[in-house]
Amino acid sequence: MTSGSHARPTEGGPPRPRLTRRLIARLTRRGAGKAPGSATSRWWRLGTPAMILLCGSLFVISAENSGGTDLRPGRYTDLASLVSNQSDEYDGLQARVANLTKEVADLTNNVDDQDVKRLQQKVDALKDPAGLVPRTGPGVSITLSDAPEDVIAAVIASGSHDVNLNLVHQQDIQAVVNALWKGGATAVTIQGQRVVSTTGIKCEGNAVQLQGRPYSQPYEIAAVGDPVRLTAAIDSDAYVTTYRADAADPEIAVGWDLATEALLTAPAYDGLLDLSYAKPLR
């Protein structure tokens, strides 16, 4: 049997693509010179179409799963890139929320109904205490930061104490914020974000998450209010006093800085307002 005896299609058969004919011819050459009834010859006759069908199926599956994109993208080369990308996505979603909230407010204000207008007046009266209105005035700013890197390295090398003492944690931030509320603050911000009743502060690795967004140290806290009352509240808080003692200890050396501000602006809260909560099973 010649090498072309079973490599070409029959005269009346449908035309095959050029690449397929070339592939079949190349594969079938390996079976040339074998007896027509040999196992190798039968394998090539049956195996070649099966292999082509399998390859085509894999191409189709890959195309469907990728959706036109790279199945193995090199999008994130390190953690910093991941955080930056997520932060950009958060900013985009936050802007969309602000636009939709404004659209809802505009539509509500245009409703010509007395009950709706009466309820809207109640909502407007609660916006300021809820943190939905900007606040401007005198106040104080406080900065918390981790100990310098050389201090942390020395503690790790010596093992003199738990290195967590050299880092700022969520409870440290919470204690300062609570002390400011006790001192009569009318508005508080962390990293420039307005603190409201639903604000959550959570440690996540070497960063602190505020309202779902990660921030690295130093942590800047600002409060609008009477600077004298705010400072007195800070001085009298037991937890904050312990933190400030750690800041003065050269072996712990966490950062602490308090400054009186003649004018501060706390922006309005612009995050989600809906609450999600669990319901008991009946």
Side-chain angles (χ1 to χ4, degrees):
M1 179 180 65
T2 63
S3 61
S5 62
H6 65 281
R8 300 180 183 276
T10 59
E11 292 296 332
R16 291 192 178 97
R18 182 178 303 174
L19 180 61
T20 303
R21 291 200 304 268
R22 198 174 292 171
L23 178 61
I24 294 175
R26 181 176 296 179
L27 291 173
T28 52
R29 284 195 193 100
R30 299 181 182 181
K34 303 294 182 180
S38 67
T40 303
S41 177
R42 288 195 301 271
W43 190 94
W44 284 108
R45 283 202 304 270
L46 298 177
T48 298
M51 289 295 294
I52 295 173
L53 180 61
L54 177 61
C55 291
S57 300
L58 291 176
F59 285 131
V60 172
I61 293 173
S62 297
E64 289 292 334
N65 289 338
S66 67
T69 62
D70 189 358
L71 285 174
R72 297 180 298 173
R75 293 179 60 191
Y76 306 120
T77 56
D78 51 34
L79 183 59
S81 299
L82 175 61
V83 172
S84 177
N85 183 274
Q86 293 297 320
S87 180
D88 291 342
E89 290 185 6
Y90 180 92
D91 290 339
L93 292 174
Q94 193 174 35
R96 185 182 178 190
V97 168
N99 291 333
L100 291 175
T101 301
K102 183 179 182 302
E103 184 178 347
V104 170
D106 292 340
L107 292 173
T108 302
N109 292 332
N110 290 330
V111 174
D112 189 14
D113 184 89
Q114 292 302 320
D115 290 335
V116 172
K117 291 182 178 179
R118 178 172 50 83
L119 293 173
Q120 188 61 41
Q121 289 175 353
K122 291 184 176 180
V123 170
D124 292 340
L126 294 173
K127 281 185 176 180
D128 187 21
L132 304 180
V133 176
R135 276 278 187 166
T136 301
V140 298
S141 61
I142 299 171
T143 302
L144 309 180
S145 58
D146 295 346
E149 293 184 3
D150 57 335
V151 174
I152 294 177
V155 170
I156 294 175
S158 64
S160 57
H161 59 264
D162 187 352
V163 73
N164 281 312
L165 292 174
N166 301 93
L167 308 176
V168 178
H169 299 281
Q170 65 185 55
Q171 57 267 31
D172 303 326
I173 301 173
Q174 290 167 345
V176 172
V177 171
N178 289 336
L180 293 171
W181 287 128
K182 291 178 183 178
T186 58
V188 177
T189 64
I190 304 175
Q191 305 295 77
Q193 284 204 53
R194 185 72 172 267
V195 176
V196 295
S197 60
T198 57
T199 298
I201 305 171
K202 180 183 178 182
C203 280
E204 193 73 30
N206 61 347
V208 169
Q209 278 200 356
L210 175 65
Q211 293 164 174
R213 188 173 185 175
Y215 292 95
S216 58
Q217 60 93 32
Y219 304 106
E220 298 179 358
I221 306 168
V224 177
D226 182 359
V228 176
R229 290 184 58 194
L230 295 175
T231 303
I234 288 292
D235 292 339
S236 62
D237 187 89
Y239 188 101
V240 178
T241 299
T242 301
Y243 179 93
R244 295 176 71 176
D246 289 341
D249 186 339
E251 292 188 357
I252 300 179
V254 285
W256 169 270
D257 181 69
L258 185 150
T260 300
E261 306 290 349
L263 186 65
L264 286 172
T265 298
Y269 173 75
D270 58 357
L272 293 174
L273 300 176
D274 292 339
L275 297 177
S276 299
Y277 52 91
K279 295 182 179 179
L281 296 175
R282 298 289 182 179

